[in-house]
Amino acid sequence: GAGVSQTPSNKVTEKGKYVELRCDPISGHTALYWYRQSLGQGPEFLIYFQGTGAADDSGLPNDRFFAVRPEGSVSTLKIQRTERGDSAVYLCASRPKTGSGNTIYFGEGSWLTVV
Amino acid sequence: KQEVTQIPAALSVPEGENLVLNCSFTDSAIYNLQWFRQDPGKGLTSLLLIQSSQREQTSGRLNASLDKSSGRSTLYIAASQPGDSATYLCAVHRGDRGSTLGRLYFGRGTQLTVWP
């Protein structure tokens, strides 16, 4: 597609429920990133994929968070037993190839509210 | 751990002013630095990317400089316009664990308002 696509754009869920957030990166981009942004804060790194494998998952806050990218394209961020503190914007981004000269492209985010 | 600080947190100016936004980072071992713009309720749009070997980049009315040794970058906006109103975020790419695709470390941003 033309840009990074994220669905849903908004999600309201009850505390304790399971949530899946989907990211469709720009076609051909090998690297995919998930960030979380709370109000008034900068984006906080969660995980990034190089192809199908998670190259760095050190930003995942705890074992309730998990992400997959089974075919090296679309990725899903999964949150189990949601808590009110999980409320944030979840941003996905992708980059075209290796090399530090390639810029990163962000989607518009999935706004998650846990009530 | 890399920490990125942006000053000021907020800035409100009349149209036409030239502006300087500041970014500092604690670890100078970076691959590049990027400046992003974020409009309310939207994702991030990359404005400028400066490689670690470069000193500055320019795009239209925007100029970004990088002093890697001192851990600082500035974003200069010339002749500001109301349409420039947004949050401006600075991020450094450190390339963790030897990977050039590593995470970005973001500051909290500078919220800019340009009034007519």
Side-chain angles (χ1 to χ4, degrees):
Chain A
V4 178
S5 176
Q6 292 188 247
T7 55
S9 54
N10 284 284
K11 175 74 176 178
V12 180
T13 191
E14 292 181 348
K15 179 175 177 294
K17 298 289 188 183
Y18 171 79
V19 167
E20 287 191 354
L21 306 176
R22 175 189 166 107
C23 174
D24 199 342
I26 294 172
S27 178
H29 283 195
T30 57
L32 183 147
Y33 302 78
W34 284 100
Y35 285 83
R36 175 169 72 173
Q37 187 176 24
S38 300
L39 194 63
Q41 305 291 317
E44 172 192 19
F45 172 80
L46 296 176
I47 184 172
Y48 95 91
F49 292 87
Q50 169 71 304
T52 60
D56 183 354
D57 63 358
S58 62
L60 295 176
N62 51 58
D63 62 5
R64 295 188 298 106
F65 288 75
F66 189 70
V68 295
R69 194 186 185 199
E71 297 178 358
S73 178
V74 171
S75 175
T76 304
L77 178 66
K78 308 180 180 191
I79 310 173
Q80 297 178 322
R81 304 184 303 280
T82 51
E83 299 177 357
R84 292 195 178 89
D86 299 334
S87 297
V89 179
Y90 289 82
L91 296 166
C92 179
S94 67
R95 289 179 69 179
K97 59 182 179 180
T98 58
S100 64
N102 295 305
T103 194
I104 189 169
Y105 298 86
F106 279 83
E108 295 206 341
S110 289
W111 293 71
L112 175 66
T113 303
V114 181
V115 297
Chain B
K1 181 189 173 205
Q2 179 73 271
E3 293 191 5
V4 180
T5 303
Q6 291 189 245
I7 295 172
L11 188 59
S12 181
V13 299
E15 183 176 8
E17 283 208 0
N18 300 323
L19 310 170
V20 175
L21 308 182
N22 296 291
C23 172
S24 61
F25 46 96
T26 54
D27 187 342
S28 62
I30 65 170
Y31 281 114
N32 61 45
L33 180 145
Q34 278 187 259
W35 283 92
F36 293 87
R37 169 184 174 137
Q38 187 173 33
D39 292 284
K42 300 292 187 181
L44 281 66
T45 301
S46 179
L47 297 172
L48 290 165
L49 181 150
I50 311 176
Q51 302 274 19
S52 61
S53 58
Q54 297 175 322
R55 298 284 292 181
E56 65 178 325
Q57 281 286 337
T58 298
S59 176
R61 294 181 294 107
L62 305 179
N63 175 276
S65 67
L66 173 64
D67 184 342
K68 202 173 84 157
S69 61
S70 67
R72 288 187 290 191
S73 175
T74 59
L75 178 67
Y76 178 81
I77 304 176
S80 59
Q81 303 171 357
D84 295 331
S85 298
T87 296
Y88 291 80
L89 292 154
C90 166
V92 296
H93 172 212
R94 187 169 177 269
D96 290 308
R97 307 178 189 182
S99 167
T100 60
L101 290 177
R103 66 202 291 181
L104 294 178
Y105 293 83
F106 283 87
R108 291 188 176 187
T110 294
Q111 187 173 1
L112 173 65
T113 302
V114 181
W115 38 277

